[in-house]
Amino acid sequence: MSKIKPEKKNPDRPSSKKIEPFTRLRGMKDILFEEYRYWDIVLEKALDLAKAYGFRKIETPILENQALYERSTGQATDIVSKEMYNFIDKSGEKVALRPEATPGLVRSYIEHGMFNLPQPVRMAWIGPLFRHEKPQTGRLRQFWQFDLEMFGEAGPVADAQIIQIAYHFFRELQIDVQVQINSIGCPDCRAAYLEKLADFYRERGRRAKLCEDCRRRFGKNLLRLLDCKETQCQEIRAEAPQIVDYLDEACREHFIKVLEYLDEVDIPYNLNPFLVRGLDYYNRTIFEIVSADVPQEGEKRQAALGGGGRYDYLVEKMGGRPTPAVGFGAGIERTILKIKEKNIPLKTDAGKIVFIAQLGEQAKRKAMIMFEEMRRAGYNVRQLFVKDNLKSQLEEADRLGALFTVIMGQKEIVDGTALIRDMESGVQEVVDAKKIVCEVEKRFANNGQVNC
Ligand SMILES: [Zn+2]
Ligand SMILES: [Zn+2]
């Protein structure tokens, strides 16, 4: 016998050093099996609603031109100025992982000439967004959103319908929510209001009492001052002029109509004169969906579960023809968190599962064929053919909630039979292997009309 050669050093397998496994990036999350059950129900609800209201699914690339967000979301926003994942790619282009859904959807609408389609064009979108949030906020840096956009409809019924869907989305997932709504008018009436607001903050040294962020924002984004979460700023704003009092005739009329439609379809809402949303492109109706849970002592106002509004000028600003539009986005992870908090029961896998178990090599082969036949015939069939022992197979059947397990063993192969085990009672019956599909069907039908 030849001597065993000493093992050659394989550069891919350093033997002495301990290999540190990789971990996911900060603020990024894996969605594991149990968690995915929640995703299933939330995504299903989102797509069902979208379909019912005539929204069709669309996808856009995760990576876009950085300038797309600078021009739409706005260079002064935190999203663009602080939180964007942007970099220069290998061909020297400035690109960004999308921090928001709407800009890409607007680009797509313009790029594909969707103004030629019958209007309104209604889009439903689900996908991940990326924002380089500060780690201490506990926010995810990759998070998912469900988005609806309606292009080419200026009427208030469009706003109302978007809000209606948003409301039903949460309510039908059994989450108690409130709709907060406001109108920020059009650029004309807003200009008049902003002057008043600036005057208000300049008077009586109010400006000096604002938090640092607000003092910095004062010249750039005055509306955002109303949105500040700091106590001193909230105290000051309580006496601030309200934008709804400065709306021109057309904007006021539009807003009243939206509210009337909501009343008509029984969607409760709260007028919130200080709701502004953090984005540059909104006009007229804006809204947020917040949890109806009362914040705990010391807890700041809860982050919105979703929100949206009208953006009648964005398509034109992005190079398209003037196109009114309104949209809505909901955070998927936040929605799931609410469902978990409330212990809302999950549906188990759609019933009528039949499991196929086997014992012995020959039986395994037979069972594999049977499995394929039943699966193709449309049965909700499951298996664990990698295991040879019956106990672990039956445990898997239990875990999956199978009602029956078909068991094939050596004896059954010889006799041309199969066992059907009722998983609840544990009772096993011998049946003709050729009639197995019918026998299973019969049991699902509670021994009803089926004759084998
Ligand atoms: Zn106006
Ligand atoms: Zn402030």
Side-chain angles (χ1 to χ4, degrees), residues 14 43 65 153 235 279 334:
L43 299 187
N65 201 313
E153 177 51 60
E235 274 167 13
L279 302 166
R334 281 183 199 174

Side-chain angles (χ1 to χ4, degrees), residues 209-215 217 224-234:
K209 291 178 200 150
L210 293 168
C211 76
E212 211 185 298
D213 271 348
C214 283
R215 269 178 281 150
R217 279 193 290 233
R224 284 301 305 277
L225 268 59
L226 299 174
D227 194 31
C228 182
K229 314 261 184 302
E230 298 298 327
T231 323
Q232 77 250 45
C233 301
Q234 292 198 345

